[in-house]
Amino acid sequence: ERGEDVMGALGALGKLPGRQRVAVTRRYLQDLPYAEICSVTGWPEGTAKTLVRRGLMRLRKIMTIEVTRGDHR
């Protein structure tokens, strides 16, 4: 079941807009601090934080919709 949850989260991550996907991936999958994300992307810290926050909010929405519809696997 945990494997299914991980696969569902990764599938939902793929549905994020590009910059949000990059920000969330670097912050949570690569465990990079914001300073390093900014160094790699050239974004100001506020932009990186906003993209992560909005990406997480969108992920929650996507995953909630998929669970409600029974689309998760």
Side-chain angles (χ1 to χ4, degrees):
E1 188 171 308
R2 179 159 163 70
E4 290 176 8
D5 291 343
V6 170
M7 293 307 293
L10 290 175
L13 188 61
K15 295 177 182 178
L16 291 179
R19 289 180 2 139
Q20 288 179 3
R21 184 175 53 251
V22 167
V24 171
T25 298
R26 298 224 167 146
R27 181 71 181 120
Y28 291 101
L29 297 182
Q30 297 175 350
D31 200 28
L32 297 180
Y34 284 107
E36 196 166 339
I37 294 170
C38 296
S39 174
V40 171
T41 61
W43 300 333
E45 186 171 336
T47 298
K49 287 180 177 182
T50 297
L51 289 167
V52 168
R53 182 175 48 83
R54 289 181 181 168
L56 290 175
M57 288 176 10
R58 189 173 293 212
L59 272 176
R60 284 185 197 106
K61 184 175 181 179
I62 290 167
M63 293 179 75
T64 299
I65 290 169
E66 289 179 356
V67 168
T68 302
R69 289 183 184 164
D71 291 345
H72 71 296
R73 290 171 180 76

